[in-house]
Amino acid sequence: MRVHGMRRSRGVVVAVAVLAWSLARLAPVIVAQPQSSCLLAGTDSAAILDELSGIRAKDSVIRLTGFTRTPASSGFHDAVEFLQESLRQAGVPDVHVESYGTDAPQPWSVRRRPGLPSWEVRRAELRSMDPPRRIASFEEEPICLARYSRPGHVVADLVDVGVGVSPADYVNKDVRGKLVLATGYANRVDELAVGGFGAAGVIVSGGSSYSPRTGWGYPDMVNWQVLNPRASGGREPSFAFVISQDEGEWLREQLRGRRTLRLEADVDATLADAPQEVLTAAIPGTSHPDEQVLLLGHLDHVRPSANDNASGSSALLEVARSLQRLIRSGRLVRPARTIRFLWMTEGAGTVGYLNAHPDVGGHTVAALNLDMVGEYLVPGTGPMRLTRTPDSLPSFLVDTVMNMVQHVDTRVVFDPTGSDSLLNIRLAPFSANSDHYTLADGAIGIPAMLLHHAPDPFHHANIDGPDKVDPTEMHRSMFIAAATAYYLARVGPEQLPRLAAEVYGGASMRLGETAREALSLMDGVPVPERDEAYGFADRKLTHVADRELGALASISRLAPEHLPDLKPLASGLTAQATAHRAALASRYVTLTGRRPPLRVLSSGDARAERLVPRKKVRFINERWQQELQVDALTASEREWLTQYMTGTELPQVYIRVPEMLNFVDGRRTLLDIRDRVSSEFFDWSVGDDYAGHYEDMSLAARRIGIDSVLELMRLLEKGELIVLEERK
Amino acid sequence: MRLVSRLANVATAALACVAWSTSEQAPASTSLRATLSEAMKVELRGKQALDHIYRISTFHRSVGSRGYHAAADYVAGAARAAGLKEVEVLTFPVNGSRRILDTYEVGYAWQVEGGELTIDGTDVRLCRYDDVPTCVVEYSAAIDTTAELVDVGAGTASTDYADKDVRGKWILTSSPASAALAFARQRYGVIGVVSYWGNYAPDRGPFPDQVAWQAVPADSSGQLSAFSISARAAAALKRQLADGRVKLHGRIDARVFEGQAEVVTGIIPGKGLPEEEVLFTSHLNHHKPGANDNASGCGLDLEIAAVLTRLIADGRIPPPKRTIRFIWMPEHRGTQLYLDRFRDYARRGIADINNDMVGEDQQECNSVFVLVRTPDSLPTYLNDFLESLAEDVAREQFRSPFGTRNQFHYRSEPYSGAISDHAYFVDGSIRMPALLLNFTPDNFYHSNEDTADHCDPTSLMRVGYIAGVAGAYLASAGAAEGRQLATLTTSAALGRLGRTLADGIAALQREGDIHLAYREARNRLVQAGLREAAAVRSVIRLARELSDDDAVRRMSDHVERVTADHLKALSDAYAAACAAAGTSPTAPQVSTNEETAARLVPVRHLYGPLRFSYLTTRLPEERRAWYERNELPPLAREEVLNFMDGRRDILTIRNAVSAEHGPVSLQAVRRFVDDLISVGLVTVSHQ
């Protein structure tokens, strides 16, 4: 699905686009627009589009894919050095590497947590002796050794244990001292086969580690797998080789044809505590250098990991180079705010950076996370996805980004050796799959979006090579990032009415979508659920209206002292919401012949309405499980918690619980928080999630049982993360 | 397309009936090939080679440029990491007209910093160096000019310029920039050329965005500026021109300068015969990305080096008796410079395996693998040896687990001239067996679209097998291996002789002078017999004791016997054809000219191949003009020189060349020899 606003404005520029079409393939730059719908001035957007080169960015992708970019390890360091040198050559200011040792302060953490260790592999090979065959070699394809594999040298027979993740797979099999061949997730196979049954090491084949469908049609694909970096249950993991489905079949064929197959596994690797490196650079702002727009992308992952995320890392480099060059040459005015670039380890590096700069949320107006930004649109590849900020953090950022998307979408941008596919984009719900998640956390509060492609059939596999990176798509992604960053770094009071109009337009559209969803939902449910559906739909309309008013109000972040009068637009949004709610009520009357019901609170609801949660300590909400004082909980409480977090009671529990915490502000009641998170994540306006998580949009999927929420919050209070206060 | 190999199989079957003893074939010789073959199949990592290719393809590798230097630096580092010894980057000044290899000039270096071509007054950019490195024609001079554009079509004839005022303007041409520019600048004073010439049809068929790599002569530095553009860009320009005047702004930031050419080399030292060398060559220069051409050869040689050194270190294959040397250099010029400095390869060079374009995804690139044989002047076991290894691949179709599952298609092709660096080694003054390993055609050849995305670890592994097994085998080959190679060569030779006989008989059936046809067919068969027997005996180079080895002698004798039988069969066919035509066979007449030529023995005083323009620029106009009639084609000229060994007389040379590239007339050969004498490259002795 495309965003409607984009469809509308497409017609406006059709004439120009047609004119441009014949020449467009020649070079990535195109004809200037007489009247631009872009938030940026036409000359500015044209200059940015012109300076960026998808081919140059792909060169960097090629370089980065040459490094095995394991966090805190030499390959990661080499990648940092390459970027650092490239940034310096491009004259980008303020290039430096921050290094966080294991003893670095962790102000965002209640409990000290160990960082990721370094993992250096000198050699790892798996061979069959007879017939002679090199089954896996780290040197050729480092993905073949599960990350954090421990050293070992084993010459042993191979035993096929099927999936290998349940004790039943080992019945009547003697794996002691032997190598096991399995298809399950390596870490689990290691726990069972080596930890439980005394095997000497693990070989897993096939594409079952992430999504079953990733293995389809790619019999040579080798999935990326990770073992526990730290001892677990008093036991260090062993080693695990990961091989393709075809290679696994070869092994099974050998086992079928003979009684034994002897293999030699040799792993020479070291784990050690090591500092985390974060590379940063910044184009300083003129009048508000302390305020910044943040562009970030994770640099780590196994070789090659081209789209994930050599693409984002290289895009950042090219954006930094281009903006710097344009600003230095006077083609762009130096912006008021600082534009900061960040390359780090996914997750751990971002948390490290936040710990080193605990106040960064206060002076960062927006962040854009570039992760998997260069995909060729081959069969199986999803569209470019832009994830919204969470509903707990509505922001002007969404409509700013979508405006830049629209600009690049209505131009024919092709790089000479790139594809000539057209842009396929989707605004996606807030997601937990990369570093924007941490930045947009309620504790940090940076409006952050993710620029991403999903699904990607080659994700986390050896075939995510540079050949999968499309210079054209890179160019488009880079424009969106560069234009958004430059605009937000530059925007001053005089441009805010225009931005407010942009937000107003987007908000109106989303309100309208919510009305469609609300009306359809109420019409679609069985009669006994109709009252509940009405209540849900009405609350959702209210919630979305609040969210969009919040997005409008967020503009104040950009000019607290010179804020334009947003009241008329806010009134407009409120009026729209009121009209939508009235339509919903009217539809209810038509359907039932009754007046819309008043809300009836269950005893749990009533209890939740009296409770106001407040955070007791400072922690990043999405990391709450690591911060919880589990020792304070009884065994049965811990068991309940595990069940709740891993069971099926609450769809999307991993992101909805942190989002509940994001809404905790010491004023909202628990009922309100539950209601808001119930409304979030199942938007028809943003469509289903690629992983199929949101396929079920029924009322049932949206319910969040209040009793469980009450229990969860009680345990969080007991675990010393929050305080539950009775409302006065 | 494996006709040749099918014939070889037939010939092998025939060999079973041949009565020579093979008892001398020691089991050890079988096992060296088997050992190498098994080890290489297991150990070669096509993906590793691809990683090198990706890396090298990020450098714009013009000779003497920073990009080339960075690539050389990378290769030297990787060669050291691969375990090669004595890795060094040799430097050679490239400073103009300094002579190398007797008739070549060293030329210049070129550095490009940027460039772009835009339609003046618009935002339309036709190309930019940053995105399309090939758009700035190599050795272009700097320019920053806005001028009108005139379409001159081909632009290589006066008629293309009739009624057109091109002075001080850009011209748009479908010809290579060098051709049009040389013509137009000289006569009409154009300021620069915009060429949309492509390596395929002018419209590039399904590749309308391809921008061809082109070069203009470096020796006219400071004179010439040229852009290469895509067919799509050219079509857009033509549409604009149809509507009226078009002005282009062209900017090229580049310089031609006196710099350094760099040649990277490293060795696996030989134990026993370290002086003797087996070479792996691959050219490192070319435009960015130039992935298949020829980051692929460079990357594959790095992988072969790594695998061989590791296998040797692990004791899985024997350390080589001879030194294996890897050379990464600028194409042509690098080899010229290297052979100019190291002039003793005639003595100590065993073989050169030249990997040039060896990574093609055969399906995507539409490529067949080709082994380019040595010219007839250099008969060698090497041709059949490499073909037998290619046949291993075709039979087993093994692949890289990280590459395609393409079917391997290959051909063996006759020598085709100086299309790559092997050509310098096979020259008559060096006579070192050298083969080109190459995928051809290639949809993306010499264009900005020759990216590493079109390389295939499977192809790399397969060519790596052929090259790697061959190199390691030859480096360790002794008498036993020599006999095995002689057997292989004999079987293939018999197939070729049979084919030559069949062709000769077919020639008698064609219309025309039956006596002349017989004479040429007979000559071809005689020359083939000489060539094949020499190819069998060429294994003697591998072990001195083979020079009086019974097995080898029996095999070469057998080839000669079969040739004699074939000549008889041809003669019988001639008689039968004459009878059918109502004429009678005529005995060959030796003309006076032939008698004279048979008494003249030319002696060559030329090290390295002849740069043809060296000769023509020194000849008077009327003698130079004769060559335009092409009575002695370029490959025949090369062979005339190659066959000059101080023993062959001019008639013998003519007969050999006529069999290979003919028929060519004795007069043409004499004329060429006379010209060579006139410029002092050849003297002649009278018998």
Side-chain angles (χ1 to χ4, degrees):
Chain A
M1 187 188 94
R2 279 171 184 265
V3 175
H4 290 188
M6 284 172 24
R7 280 203 196 120
R8 259 199 321 271
S9 49
R10 234 178 184 222
V12 179
V13 293
V14 148
V16 180
V18 167
L19 183 71
W21 184 271
S22 63
L23 293 168
R25 198 69 174 84
L26 307 183
V29 188
I30 311 315
V31 181
Q33 289 240 95
Q35 189 170 14
S36 175
S37 60
C38 187
L39 284 168
L40 281 172
T43 47
D44 289 357
S45 59
I48 293 171
L49 203 52
D50 176 75
E51 182 60 32
L52 292 167
S53 164
I55 289 173
R56 190 194 290 268
K58 184 162 173 173
D59 278 352
S60 304
V61 169
I62 289 171
R63 288 299 306 274
L64 289 174
T65 52
F67 304 115
T68 300
R69 311 184 296 280
T70 307
S73 307
S74 55
F76 186 92
H77 177 78
D78 293 343
V80 166
E81 292 228 307
F82 162 71
L83 287 174
Q84 201 176 358
E85 180 55 29
S86 305
L87 287 161
R88 292 215 166 108
Q89 274 178 14
V92 178
D94 196 16
V95 179
H96 65 276
V97 178
E98 298 185 4
S99 184
Y100 313 130
T102 45
D103 55 348
Q106 297 182 348
W108 279 112
S109 206
V110 186
R111 301 198 304 162
R112 265 208 94 67
R113 287 185 291 122
L116 292 170
S118 70
W119 183 61
E120 302 290 352
V121 182
R122 282 167 295 283
R123 177 186 160 87
E125 277 199 340
L126 178 65
R127 288 170 176 274
S128 150
M129 326 287 245
D130 178 28
R133 188 176 177 96
R134 194 168 42 88
I135 296 162
S137 138
F138 183 87
E139 201 181 355
E140 179 172 31
E141 200 65 290
I143 207 165
C144 79
L145 186 68
R147 180 184 282 179
Y148 304 129
S149 280
R150 308 308 200 263
H153 181 250
V154 177
V155 178
D157 286 347
L158 181 70
V159 180
D160 185 353
V161 296
V163 182
V165 296
S166 97
D169 293 329
Y170 297 83
V171 173
N172 294 330
K173 281 174 185 153
D174 176 17
V175 301
R176 187 159 299 277
K178 297 181 178 158
L179 292 163
V180 297
L181 175 63
T183 58
Y185 186 51
N187 201 48
R188 178 66 186 143
V189 176
D190 170 73
E191 282 170 7
L192 263 182
V194 183
F197 298 104
V202 171
I203 301 162
V204 294
S205 74
S208 63
S209 59
Y210 284 86
S211 158
R213 73 170 165 194
T214 56
W216 296 355
Y218 302 101
D220 298 326
M221 181 155 85
V222 180
N223 270 284
W224 181 43
Q225 302 231 25
V226 182
L227 299 180
N228 272 334
R230 307 274 171 193
S232 161
R235 174 187 162 264
E236 291 281 342
S238 176
F239 59 79
F241 281 95
V242 192
I243 59 176
S244 69
Q245 185 185 306
D246 243 32
E247 200 66 30
E249 277 311 303
W250 184 84
L251 286 174
R252 284 181 198 97
E253 185 60 40
Q254 301 301 313
L255 286 175
R256 275 194 286 276
R258 53 162 79 198
R259 292 169 62 115
T260 58
L261 179 67
R262 209 155 178 75
L263 301 181
E264 179 181 9
D266 185 13
V267 178
D268 180 3
T270 321
L271 276 84
D273 282 324
Q276 289 281 342
E277 286 182 326
V278 169
L279 173 64
T280 165
I283 297 172
T286 50
S287 59
H288 296 70
D290 295 341
E291 292 197 354
Q292 66 177 17
V293 181
L294 188 58
L295 294 178
L296 71 157
H298 75 83
L299 180 58
D300 61 319
H301 277 3
V302 68
R303 193 176 91 201
S305 293
N307 271 314
D308 185 16
N309 185 34
S311 68
S313 302
S314 303
L316 290 179
L317 170 62
E318 174 64 2
V319 167
R321 183 201 67 80
S322 298
L323 289 179
Q324 172 62 20
R325 177 145 191 235
L326 289 167
I327 289 165
R328 195 164 50 188
S329 66
R331 288 170 71 197
L332 288 181
V333 172
R334 186 171 289 281
R337 297 179 186 83
T338 296
I339 302 174
R340 179 164 297 283
F341 302 87
L342 209 59
W343 294 262
M344 70 293 148
T345 296
E346 189 171 15
T350 300
V351 172
Y353 185 80
L354 292 171
N355 277 322
H357 307 270
D359 303 327
V360 72
H363 54 86
T364 304
V365 298
L368 201 52
N369 178 22
L370 274 59
D371 189 356
M372 305 177 69
V373 301
E375 271 80 350
Y376 269 111
L377 298 183
V378 299
T381 307
M384 181 189 288
R385 287 172 180 272
L386 292 142
T387 65
R388 289 195 322 219
T389 58
D391 285 6
S392 58
L393 188 59
S395 172
F396 54 82
L397 178 62
V398 174
D399 294 302
T400 308
V401 167
M402 294 316 286
N403 178 276
M404 302 309 169
V405 168
Q406 176 187 317
H407 185 75
V408 80
D409 185 45
T410 50
R411 249 136 216 87
V412 189
V413 176
F414 296 137
D415 275 43
T417 49
S419 79
D420 48 12
S421 66
L422 295 179
L423 182 61
N424 180 13
I425 82 111
R426 179 176 294 217
L427 185 61
F430 181 59
S431 65
N433 54 349
S434 188
D435 301 275
H436 62 293
Y437 183 45
T438 315
L439 297 178
D441 191 276
I444 309 298
I446 300 174
M449 289 173 70
L450 168 67
L451 201 169
H452 180 64
H453 287 76
D456 176 338
F458 317 115
H459 174 243
H460 282 194
N462 63 322
I463 50 178
D464 178 14
D467 57 317
K468 308 299 191 304
V469 175
D470 175 7
T472 296
E473 192 73 350
M474 287 292 283
H475 202 132
R476 296 192 280 233
S477 295
M478 293 188 298
F479 174 80
I480 294 165
T484 302
Y486 179 69
Y487 172 76
L488 290 177
R490 192 167 163 207
V491 65
E494 61 281 9
Q495 285 99 36
L496 290 184
R498 174 75 205 282
L499 177 60
E502 202 72 22
V503 175
Y504 181 76
S508 302
M509 190 181 74
R510 291 185 288 271
L511 266 172
E513 288 285 357
T514 308
R516 171 173 77 105
E517 180 188 349
L519 286 161
S520 307
L521 185 70
M522 193 176 66
D523 261 29
V525 294
V527 173
E529 289 185 13
R530 185 156 287 143
D531 283 11
E532 185 194 353
Y534 169 78
F536 175 85
D538 188 56
R539 282 196 298 281
K540 175 148 189 173
L541 272 169
T542 308
H543 166 71
V544 170
D546 285 353
R547 182 188 75 198
E548 298 303 340
L549 285 166
L552 193 61
S554 74
I555 290 172
S556 68
R557 177 73 188 78
L558 295 169
E561 288 102 43
H562 305 91
L563 196 62
D565 183 8
L566 297 172
K567 281 197 210 77
L569 296 181
S571 306
L573 286 180
T574 306
Q576 286 179 46
T578 305
H580 293 329
R581 291 179 66 198
L584 184 73
S586 168
R587 179 67 187 152
Y588 181 89
V589 171
T590 308
L591 281 173
T592 64
R594 288 184 278 115
R595 284 202 325 201
L598 293 173
R599 187 176 194 186
V600 181
L601 296 184
S602 69
S603 63
D605 290 345
R607 168 98 186 107
E609 199 189 19
R610 289 195 303 277
L611 290 177
V612 176
R614 179 170 58 76
K615 282 177 77 173
K616 185 180 178 184
V617 289
R618 185 153 102 149
F619 65 98
I620 297 171
N621 298 333
E622 56 109 342
R623 307 254 149 172
W624 69 271
Q625 280 173 287
Q626 292 102 313
E627 305 291 356
L628 192 70
Q629 295 290 352
V630 281
D631 297 345
L633 307 187
T634 66
S636 62
E637 285 168 339
R638 287 202 289 262
E639 174 58 30
W640 182 90
L641 200 57
T642 305
Q643 188 56 40
Y644 189 66
M645 291 309 295
T646 58
T648 54
E649 179 187 339
L650 182 59
Q652 301 287 285
V653 64
Y654 63 90
I655 190 168
R656 286 166 115 191
V657 170
E659 179 66 344
M660 281 192 245
L661 288 170
N662 287 345
F663 275 110
V664 167
D665 61 357
R667 290 190 300 279
R668 285 196 175 92
T669 67
L670 193 50
L671 181 67
D672 180 45
I673 290 170
R674 193 282 308 262
D675 287 348
R676 287 186 186 279
V677 178
S678 294
S679 296
E680 197 173 350
F681 297 115
F682 293 85
D683 274 7
W684 288 14
S685 63
V686 292
D688 65 320
D689 181 77
Y690 64 88
H693 294 142
Y694 299 157
E695 272 164 14
D696 181 4
M697 296 215 181
S698 68
L699 197 55
R702 300 158 186 253
R703 282 187 197 116
I704 300 179
I706 194 66
D707 295 335
S708 293
V709 172
L710 285 165
E711 177 62 5
L712 174 72
M713 293 297 163
R714 187 183 73 79
L715 298 185
L716 261 60
E717 183 174 40
K718 198 173 173 192
E720 299 184 9
L721 292 183
I722 63 167
V723 181
L724 289 168
E725 290 168 341
E726 291 282 340
R727 193 161 65 136
K728 304 199 174 59
Chain B
M1 296 293 285
R2 303 211 311 269
L3 181 63
V4 177
S5 60
R6 278 207 301 279
L7 281 170
N9 290 341
V10 172
T12 311
L15 264 188
C17 311
V18 171
W20 73 67
S21 161
T22 55
S23 60
E24 290 91 338
Q25 279 181 259
S29 64
T30 319
S31 83
L32 177 60
R33 177 159 174 171
T35 306
L36 288 168
S37 171
E38 278 312 308
M40 292 302 270
K41 262 183 272 182
V42 172
E43 300 303 335
L44 272 167
R45 301 156 304 181
K47 181 70 193 330
Q48 198 84 354
L50 180 61
D51 287 348
H52 292 308
I53 295 168
Y54 263 112
R55 184 63 187 278
I56 294 167
S57 72
T58 61
F59 303 115
H60 195 58
R61 312 184 294 280
S62 296
V63 177
S65 69
R66 287 194 305 278
Y68 183 94
H69 177 74
D73 206 41
Y74 172 77
V75 167
R80 286 186 193 103
L84 291 189
K85 306 292 182 211
E86 298 178 25
V87 174
E88 53 184 332
V89 180
L90 307 171
T91 57
F92 302 83
V94 282
N95 50 7
S97 53
R98 182 170 70 85
R99 190 77 53 74
I100 48 172
L101 288 191
D102 290 358
T103 60
Y104 288 84
E105 286 175 9
V106 77
Y108 291 92
W110 186 66
Q111 176 71 48
V112 56
E113 309 287 349
E116 62 181 357
L117 186 64
T118 52
I119 300 179
D120 192 49
T122 75
D123 290 339
V124 176
R125 189 166 54 210
L126 297 158
C127 63
R128 171 169 72 173
Y129 169 78
D130 284 7
D131 300 318
V132 184
T134 51
C135 81
V136 179
V137 169
E138 197 161 2
Y139 286 104
S140 277
I143 195 170
D144 191 351
T145 301
T146 302
E148 205 180 314
L149 177 74
V150 180
D151 186 352
V152 296
T156 50
S158 311
T159 48
D160 294 333
Y161 296 85
D163 305 325
K164 284 174 187 152
D165 174 16
V166 297
R167 186 160 300 278
K169 295 177 182 170
W170 296 98
I171 54 168
L172 178 67
T173 173
S174 61
S175 304
S178 55
L181 194 52
F183 189 85
R185 180 170 179 85
Q186 216 173 13
R187 308 193 190 185
Y188 302 106
V190 305
I191 59 154
V193 167
V194 180
S195 163
Y196 55 97
W197 173 80
N199 291 296
Y200 294 91
D203 66 354
R204 321 291 204 284
F207 308 105
D209 298 307
Q210 220 169 70
V211 177
W213 171 75
Q214 305 194 37
V216 291
D219 51 8
S220 36
S221 62
Q223 307 285 311
L224 314 169
S225 298
F227 286 95
S228 181
I229 64 170
S230 70
R232 196 192 299 266
L237 278 177
K238 287 183 175 188
R239 278 197 300 276
Q240 298 250 325
L241 282 167
D243 291 344
R245 289 150 74 100
V246 174
K247 276 184 148 184
L248 295 184
H249 177 222
R251 179 183 64 78
I252 291 175
D253 182 3
R255 66 194 176 103
V256 177
F257 63 104
E258 296 187 355
Q260 300 278 335
E262 291 168 306
V263 173
V264 186
T265 173
I267 62 166
I268 300 173
K271 288 187 177 156
L273 296 166
E275 270 280 285
E276 296 192 350
E277 289 190 0
V278 174
L279 300 185
F280 283 89
T281 51
S282 52
H283 75 82
L284 179 58
N285 68 314
H286 260 358
H287 61 89
K288 175 181 161 205
N292 270 313
D293 188 10
N294 181 37
S296 69
C298 298
L300 182 57
D301 279 357
L302 285 170
E303 171 61 5
I304 290 171
V307 171
L308 290 181
T309 47
R310 182 161 158 192
L311 286 170
I312 293 163
D314 291 353
R316 292 174 58 193
I317 64 171
K321 284 198 288 205
R322 302 180 175 88
T323 296
I324 300 175
R325 181 178 294 280
F326 293 83
I327 305 176
W328 295 269
M329 70 287 153
E331 189 175 19
H332 300 294
R333 220 188 318 176
T335 304
Q336 291 160 15
L337 287 163
Y338 185 85
L339 287 174
D340 189 63
R341 183 176 294 180
F342 303 99
R343 288 174 168 252
D344 52 358
Y345 274 95
R347 178 172 60 79
R348 62 194 187 94
I350 294 294
D352 168 50
I353 295 163
N354 184 35
N355 284 324
D356 188 358
M357 304 181 69
V358 290
E360 271 81 352
D361 177 329
Q362 288 193 259
Q363 196 173 323
E364 265 187 31
C365 300
N366 188 32
S367 303
V368 173
F369 180 67
V370 166
L371 286 164
V372 175
R373 305 168 66 87
T374 55
D376 285 2
S377 59
L378 185 56
T380 169
Y381 61 85
L382 191 62
N383 296 316
D384 296 318
F385 181 36
L386 262 74
E387 196 176 328
S388 77
L389 291 166
E391 187 56 26
D392 284 354
V393 180
R395 192 175 53 247
E396 298 179 38
Q397 296 289 342
F398 53 79
R399 71 177 191 104
S400 159
F402 307 114
T404 69
R405 289 154 195 257
N406 289 341
Q407 192 76 7
F408 181 67
H409 301 284
Y410 82 95
R411 296 176 61 91
S412 170
E413 292 274 351
Y415 181 75
S416 50
I419 57 170
S420 187
D421 298 275
H422 60 295
Y424 299 91
F425 297 97
V426 300
D427 181 76
S429 62
I430 298 172
R431 295 188 59 76
M432 184 170 155
L435 256 60
L436 168 63
L437 282 63
N438 170 256
F439 281 101
T440 192
D442 177 335
N443 283 336
F444 313 104
Y445 173 68
H446 277 196
S447 83
N448 64 322
E449 293 180 357
D450 179 13
T451 64
D453 296 350
H454 301 304
C455 295
D456 175 10
T458 290
S459 290
L460 289 160
M461 189 195 168
R462 290 168 171 175
V463 181
Y465 169 84
I466 297 165
V469 172
Y473 186 86
L474 294 178
S476 286
E481 288 75 21
R483 282 183 208 106
Q484 197 178 38
L485 291 171
T487 310
L488 197 70
T489 307
T490 305
S491 68
L494 296 180
R496 282 188 293 271
L497 281 171
R499 177 65 183 265
T500 309
L501 170 63
D503 286 351
I505 293 172
L508 297 174
Q509 315 300 322
R510 284 189 215 109
E511 284 184 23
D513 183 340
I514 190 170
H515 309 295
L516 187 61
Y518 171 65
R519 193 178 159 150
E520 289 301 329
R522 189 175 188 285
N523 181 45
R524 283 198 298 274
L525 197 47
V526 168
Q527 299 298 333
L530 293 171
R531 180 190 69 211
E532 300 301 351
V536 173
R537 284 196 302 273
S538 71
V539 301
I540 291 168
R541 180 72 187 83
L542 295 172
R544 195 167 298 152
E545 62 260 45
L546 292 175
S547 60
D548 49 20
D549 183 81
D550 278 350
V552 173
R553 191 180 316 111
R554 273 199 294 276
M555 285 186 262
S556 87
D557 287 352
H558 183 72
V559 168
E560 284 167 7
R561 256 196 321 277
V562 170
T563 308
D565 290 348
H566 285 0
L567 283 168
K568 176 72 171 61
L570 184 67
S571 166
D572 292 348
Y574 172 50
C578 285
T583 175
S584 50
T586 56
Q589 301 285 317
V590 180
S591 68
T592 322
N593 281 342
E594 285 173 335
E595 275 176 14
T596 312
R599 286 197 298 275
L600 297 175
V601 177
V603 180
R604 167 178 172 164
H605 307 285
L606 169 65
Y607 176 63
L610 170 71
R611 181 171 61 98
F612 188 55
S613 60
Y614 175 92
L615 174 68
T616 50
T617 51
R618 285 163 175 77
L619 292 178
E621 174 60 33
E622 46 87 25
R623 297 214 49 105
R624 180 164 57 229
W626 175 78
Y627 288 95
E628 285 166 20
R629 287 152 56 183
N630 208 31
E631 287 177 27
L632 194 64
L635 286 175
R637 292 198 300 261
E638 273 188 44
E639 281 291 78
V640 167
L641 271 162
N642 288 341
F643 276 114
M644 283 182 199
D645 58 356
R647 290 189 299 275
R648 288 189 180 92
D649 58 69
I650 291 181
L651 180 62
T652 305
I653 291 171
R654 177 268 156 195
N655 287 341
V657 174
S658 192
E660 187 179 1
H661 295 296
V664 296
S665 70
L666 178 61
Q667 291 90 320
V669 173
R670 279 215 59 172
R671 186 177 181 105
F672 178 51
V673 173
D674 287 346
D675 285 345
L676 291 169
I677 292 168
S678 77
V679 299
L681 293 175
V682 166
T683 55
V684 72
S685 69
H686 297 262
Q687 280 186 336

